[in-house]
Amino acid sequence: MFRPALIAASLVAFFTSSAIAGPPREDRTFFRSVEGEWAGAGEIVAGKYKGTKFNCKLSGAESDGKNVMAIGGTCRVGIFSQKMEAKIHWAEGGYRGAFLDGALGKGLDVVGGNIGGGRAIFSLKRNDLNGAMLARMTAHDKMNITISVRVGEGMVPVIGLGLTRVDAVATSSIR
């Protein structure tokens, strides 16, 4: 079965930002560089659904003055499409948020993260599942995302996704 919650929560996390008294400046610069319209293809690379390919179209927009970032769009597998929605905010000391209705429902929680060197790493949690999402800008209009889950003492990559900017938004460069 297609796991849209894991895919979407991971995609959503890197689109977070804050307007006032929120994340560090470098974090906001990274988020501005990925704000806008993105589309791309991905694949589940491990587990029961290994080899499943999907496509996503996502839009990210900041909620002015509320330290909240909303992301929405769809991910599609074959003829099946799943609506994706999330809100992420900067809480005291780190990132927090939920995809769909969070880990208490059918979604996932974002429980922490950090940014540096043109990439964002976020911690994901749902019940006993612990994971991480890495979003890395490879150019101003290209981004790679890898989602991994903890198995024993290590992290195992589960999902890979490549996104391309599909709007004409001017972005600042990340170094």
Side-chain angles (χ1 to χ4, degrees), residues 79-151:
I79 62 170
F80 300 101
S81 183
Q82 174 70 43
K83 185 175 180 180
M84 302 296 164
E85 292 182 318
K87 288 188 179 177
I88 309 294
H89 64 278
W90 174 260
E92 186 175 323
Y95 292 99
R96 303 289 182 263
F99 167 70
L100 295 177
D101 52 0
L104 294 177
K106 295 180 180 180
L108 290 162
D109 289 338
V110 175
V111 296
N114 60 56
I115 296 173
R119 66 182 185 171
I121 301 172
F122 290 95
S123 298
L124 306 173
K125 183 154 182 67
R126 177 179 173 77
N127 300 327
D128 293 333
L129 173 73
N130 290 300
M133 185 277 308
L134 167 65
R136 184 173 48 90
M137 296 295 292
T138 59
H140 97 92
D141 64 345
K142 303 275 186 204
M143 182 170 18
N144 290 330
I145 299 168
T146 302
I147 298 159
S148 301
V149 296
R150 180 164 302 285
V151 177

